[in-house]
Amino acid sequence: MCGIAGIFAQAGGAPPQRVELERAISALAHRGPDGHGFYQQGMVGLAHARLSIIDLAGGAQPIHNEDETVWVVFNGEIFNYVELREFLQTQGHRFYTHSDTEVLVHLYEHYGLDFAHHLNGQFALALWDQNQQQLILCRDRAGILPLFYAVQNGRVVFASEIKAVLPVIGGIPALNPAALDQVMTFWSTLGDTTMFEGVRQVLPGEMLIAFDGGIRKQRYWDWRYPSDDDYHGTSVEQQAEELRALLSDATRIRLRADVPVGAYLSGGLDSSVLATLIRANGITPETYSIRFNDAQLDEGVHQQRMAEHLGVQHHQVQCSEAAIGREFPRAIWHTETPILRNAPVPMMLLSGLVHARGAKVVLTGEGADEVLGGYDIFKEAKLRRFWARNPKSLWRPLLLKRLYPYLEFNPARAQSYSEAFFGTGLDQPNATFFAHLPRWSTTAQSKQFYAAEFKARLNTDPLALLEQSLPRDYAQWHSFNRAQYVEAKVLMANYLLWSQGDRMLMANSVEGRFPFLDQRVIEFAARIHPNLKMKVLNEKFLLKHAFINQLPASIVSRSKQPYRAPDIPAFFHDGVALDYVDALLADDVIKRYGYFDAQKTGFLLKKIRAGRAIGYKDNMALVAILSTQMWHHLFVENRNYSEFIRS
Amino acid sequence: MSIEQQVRDYIIENFLFTNDAAALANDASFLEKGIIDSTGVLEMIFFLEQEFSLKVADKEMIPENLDSVNNIVRYVQSKQAG
């Protein structure tokens, strides 16, 4: 994995300066500690910070084609580069390195803008076509790797992270109020919006083409589901076999590296399937896990059982509340956005363990829930629909008690209340966002802490905005697939792969690889009938069915435990806050930053200090407020874009 | 302090995060107003058990007992009388 940055001066824009490229790329040193490379000619400048994984000796970037008219800087991996290279060589292309990067320039020469269709990988790239005088920015399908840009004074400034764009565009960054409101609804921003006014992201599956006269965007891939009942017609056994084969191959090509490849092992189904597939490919990976002191959150028993089953060397990082509190500021510096739960921080501690062990690449099971139907909200929605068919039924809502068996403060315990919560939208089971409404309305409760002046600046409805972005045939899809689509495009792309994924991995120069997000797996899974994804209330049924004979029974049969981390306890010990928490949540600082109401925040702090803030809502409100304050402190006040880079 | 005042103060400060007494009417439904959600009700039960030395049975965790200041006052009084 690497970091990329660059500048393209369109009509009237000042040509890029070397010092600007250096400034940008130095903010990405954590992504690429193994060297820098630059290309600069006339109106374009490209920069690259390298983390060596493939072709350690010859893979320095930027890389060019035979006559040096096409140049590329690239962050990521093209897993089918071996096959692409063979094909391109038969077509007469000559290669000067052994890196996967080089296939990009030749593939572009061969197919033009269609080149992205042929890539199987995770990537964010910038390709300069000197003959056409156009710059192409492009991201992978699922959104594994990031790419941000700003258009300012006739220039397109882009980089892997926003902190590398900011020093080039200059000025004092400003928070985009609509973006914060989106985070306070969905856990993430929507679409190309970022927390920073004027900075956008290239969307997953999208290509941005910048030329002298402007910019145009082109979508080359999206999540699609059958609108005409066109599901796989084969038997369950045949579908299980095909899924096994696809996942096996998706894993096989993700083991291509010139350094050892490890694996994250959460103790859940997905990572266990993955580790099994790695073993089946003849490799015994070292595995890595997060442990928590709180028995409610810890999955150590299952991790250990799986590690023993696989016979792997297993490593664990104990994520104490103190460690999470200590690392929180650095995590926000990496996420570049407020967060609602502390869940990203242990992921950063975990990549820290991988780095400390001297490893650079890990495979993870991320994506399986979205692709194969594992989330509780999918189950919840199915139950709520079942209930909606007979809203007066007394026993239908009792099924809700089957959800969340792992929670101490089980929301289903007090039935009348769980009915009130899960009953949200029960009168409109065909609503566009039926599955997501309970989660979003719970999340939105943190908005009660907005300062009145900030609230007055909000003039868009986040749900309406999301609705506008849905594909034309969305309404024709099965309700289960609709929920999958929204989950993949919003929570997964803009939170899980961002705040909890790439940014936490790259904080410690570790590359994650995601076999469940291989497009062949995604496209095959899209045509698995929802009843096979969730058979009655058994989530990821086909995946379990496909691997039932290869996994310990306890792993297959255990109920899914969503990954969670301690929130409030990370910041308060015996009612006493960490120093930075006190400083950022002080009345005058809250007022100066202007996002939240100081009095309300004060009452929340009082409740926390008294040990009474135990609920989901208070924990989420505290993390939301604190992370927003931290974001402002780091990016608006301090503006030290190298603050957490290790020397 | 009356039961009503104690309950009002608690709800206003801990769920509405304010000290504005006008923010809460005694007959306002906590669920309808979005004041208390399914985990919030457990917080409130802890509060009631602690402040009024009573034990809330599972079957008593119903809106008729817990969904407004008036309902809570009536419920607490009936528990104390019993």
Side-chain angles (χ1 to χ4, degrees), chain B residues 34-64:
Chain B
I35 296 169
I36 290 181
D37 62 6
S38 52
T39 55
V41 74
L42 294 169
E43 287 177 51
M44 196 166 62
I45 288 163
F46 288 155
F47 163 76
L48 295 177
E49 292 189 345
Q50 194 179 310
E51 290 300 305
F52 302 108
S53 305
L54 48 85
K55 183 102 187 89
V56 180
D58 274 7
K59 64 177 186 329
E60 293 168 345
M61 294 181 196
I62 52 173
E64 290 72 22

Side-chain angles (χ1 to χ4, degrees), chain A residues 599-600 606-607 612 617, chain B residues 13-14 17 19 35 43:
Chain A
Q599 190 200 41
K600 287 191 170 187
K606 189 176 165 192
K607 186 177 182 182
R612 290 197 307 267
K617 210 165 113 175
Chain B
E13 194 170 298
N14 289 280
F17 304 100
N19 53 10
I35 296 169
E43 287 177 51

